[in-house]
Amino acid sequence: MTALRQEDDAPRGFVTMREYLKLQHRCEELEELLASTASTQGLDQERAMKLQIRFGLTAIEGELLTLLTSRDELCKQFLFSVIWGMGGRRSGNDVSPKMLDVYICKIRKRLADKEAPDGIIETIWGKGWRIAPQHRAWLEAQIGGTP
């Protein structure tokens, strides 16, 4: 392996390889900070477990539904960082952000099987998803909680 020492070795748009490596390291630090912050926001494990039991969801599906009920709307990147971490790893498996679409589809099907209101999970094109307040109230009533 050869060391990259010359300015010609730096990726396009960077003056030197040192500048590139410094920014890359800073990005990694910020990703770790975001992941640690995101993982402490909005994930109520007790609520997730109640949703899993009531609607027959997997652990990941329960966590996603819990997060969706906790905010007005959530972007894909936030959901991905909370569920899988910034590196996209959970239990050693590589995961793509596209998996969120698959899980949301599965959650919608499981909720429909339990006679949930139509359109309970709304897609916000180009951003993420949301659950309308009246649907949040319905979900809370199903698990015996308060909205």
Side-chain angles (χ1 to χ4, degrees):
M1 201 168 166
T2 60
L4 299 174
R5 294 182 291 231
Q6 302 173 355
E7 289 184 11
D8 294 342
D9 293 332
R12 255 185 201 200
F14 293 94
V15 176
T16 64
M17 191 62 183
R18 173 179 272 172
E19 180 185 23
Y20 171 76
L21 293 173
K22 189 175 178 180
L23 287 173
Q24 184 180 27
H25 177 71
R26 184 65 181 139
C27 284
E28 290 169 0
E29 288 175 344
L30 290 172
E31 286 176 347
E32 288 175 17
L33 178 63
L34 178 61
S36 67
T37 302
S39 66
T40 62
Q41 295 181 9
L43 188 51
D44 178 348
Q45 292 293 338
E46 183 180 340
R47 177 185 282 164
M49 183 63 73
K50 287 179 180 180
L51 290 167
Q52 288 173 42
I53 293 167
R54 172 64 179 93
F55 297 107
L57 305 173
T58 66
I60 291 175
E61 292 166 351
E63 290 174 8
L64 282 170
L65 189 55
T66 299
L67 289 166
L68 286 169
T69 60
S70 69
R71 307 265 172 93
D72 288 337
E73 64 183 55
L74 288 171
C75 70
K76 286 183 178 186
Q77 188 58 44
F78 178 81
L79 287 169
F80 185 76
S81 67
V82 172
I83 301 297
W84 287 286
M86 291 304 294
R89 298 186 186 278
R90 184 177 180 139
S91 305
N93 297 323
D94 289 332
V95 179
S96 163
K98 193 71 177 156
M99 284 301 298
L100 283 169
D101 297 323
V102 174
Y103 279 104
I104 294 295
C105 183
K106 288 180 178 184
I107 294 169
R108 284 177 171 146
K109 183 179 181 336
R110 291 181 195 263
L111 292 175
D113 290 346
K114 299 290 185 174
E115 300 180 7
D118 289 337
I120 190 164
I121 299 175
E122 300 172 3
T123 300
I124 303 169
W125 295 107
K127 288 186 175 183
W129 299 275
R130 76 181 209 111
I131 295 179
Q134 68 272 19
H135 296 319
R136 275 191 247 149
W138 181 86
L139 281 169
E140 291 298 330
Q142 298 300 304
I143 60 171
T146 57

